[in-house]
């Protein structure tokens, strides 16, 4: 019994020992200049289609304008096939060419609002404020780079 216990402790200690990093950035792997902004959302049961309808009128519309203006490279919505597991069941993803491309400016804001239109902006804000809290919970926000191992 002592031998088994000792073996278990040895295996655990090997697994818990800190690993020495052997890889070097830009030698062994590349880090993309592009960045992805990922929002994690927990949509309530049976509210998925209703929430997507709202996203189409608000978030997707804004993403399309941002893409047309060249502020973002792409965007996507991902839905979990196991919607009741984990902290989120929907991902809202936006790809920027670089971290600098995410920076706000008055020029970008003015061009975006001009393309969106004041009436559309007000309608989207009203819809989000009135219905979204009942449909979903935002559970996280991440900004990530892609790692390409060589």
């Amino acid at each position: 019994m002592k031998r088994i216990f000792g073996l278990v402790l040895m295996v655990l200690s090997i697994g818990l020992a800190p690993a020495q990093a052997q890889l070097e950035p830009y030698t062994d792997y590349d880090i993309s200049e592009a960045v992805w902004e990922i929002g994690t959302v927990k949509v309530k049961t049976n509210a998925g289609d209703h929430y997507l309808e709202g996203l189409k009128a608000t978030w997707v519309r804004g993403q399309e304008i941002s893409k047309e203006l060249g502020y973002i490279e792409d965007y996507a919505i991902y839905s979990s096939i196991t919607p009741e597991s984990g902290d989120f069941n929907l991902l809202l993803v936006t790809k920027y060419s670089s971290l600098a491309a995410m920076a706000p400016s008055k020029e970008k804001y003015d061009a975006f609002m001009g393309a969106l239109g004041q009436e559309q902006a007000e309608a989207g804000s009203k819809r989000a404020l009135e219905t979204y809290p009942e449909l979903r919970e935002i559970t996280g926000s991440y900004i990530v780079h892609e790692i390409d191992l060589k």
Side-chain angles (χ1 to χ4, degrees):
M1 187 63 142
K2 285 183 179 179
R3 179 178 278 170
I4 293 172
F5 184 69
L7 184 59
V8 169
L9 284 177
M10 185 178 80
V11 169
L12 286 175
S13 68
I14 291 170
L16 298 176
Q20 282 190 298
Q22 302 283 330
L23 300 179
E24 293 288 328
Y26 303 107
T27 300
D28 299 307
Y29 64 91
D30 290 326
I31 303 169
S32 68
E33 186 173 328
V35 294
W36 287 258
E37 181 179 24
I38 302 170
T40 58
V41 180
K42 182 69 171 182
V43 180
K44 295 182 180 173
T45 304
N46 298 323
D49 289 341
H50 189 61
Y51 185 58
L52 288 175
E53 182 182 24
L55 284 180
K56 184 176 181 182
T58 58
W59 189 79
V60 170
R61 176 76 176 120
Q63 297 297 79
E64 283 293 322
I65 291 170
S66 293
K67 193 171 178 179
E68 289 169 11
L69 293 171
Y71 301 158
I72 66 172
E73 288 188 3
D74 207 0
Y75 68 93
I77 299 172
Y78 297 97
S79 177
S80 172
I81 60 171
T82 55
E84 295 304 320
S85 65
D87 294 331
F88 63 88
N89 51 21
L90 199 70
L91 297 171
L92 303 178
V93 180
T94 305
K95 182 180 181 185
Y96 295 85
S97 61
S98 67
L99 198 53
M102 292 180 73
S105 72
K106 182 170 179 3
E107 293 78 21
K108 285 182 180 180
Y109 175 80
D110 289 344
F112 179 86
M113 292 306 289
L116 180 61
Q118 189 63 32
E119 186 175 311
Q120 177 78 22
E122 289 173 5
S125 293
K126 182 178 179 186
R127 178 182 201 136
L129 289 172
E130 289 178 354
T131 61
Y132 287 179
E134 297 173 12
L135 303 175
R136 58 89 171 120
E137 175 187 354
I138 297 172
T139 59
S141 181
Y142 307 88
I143 298 173
V144 300
H145 288 278
E146 182 177 9
I147 301 294
D148 181 23
L149 294 171
K150 296 179 182 182

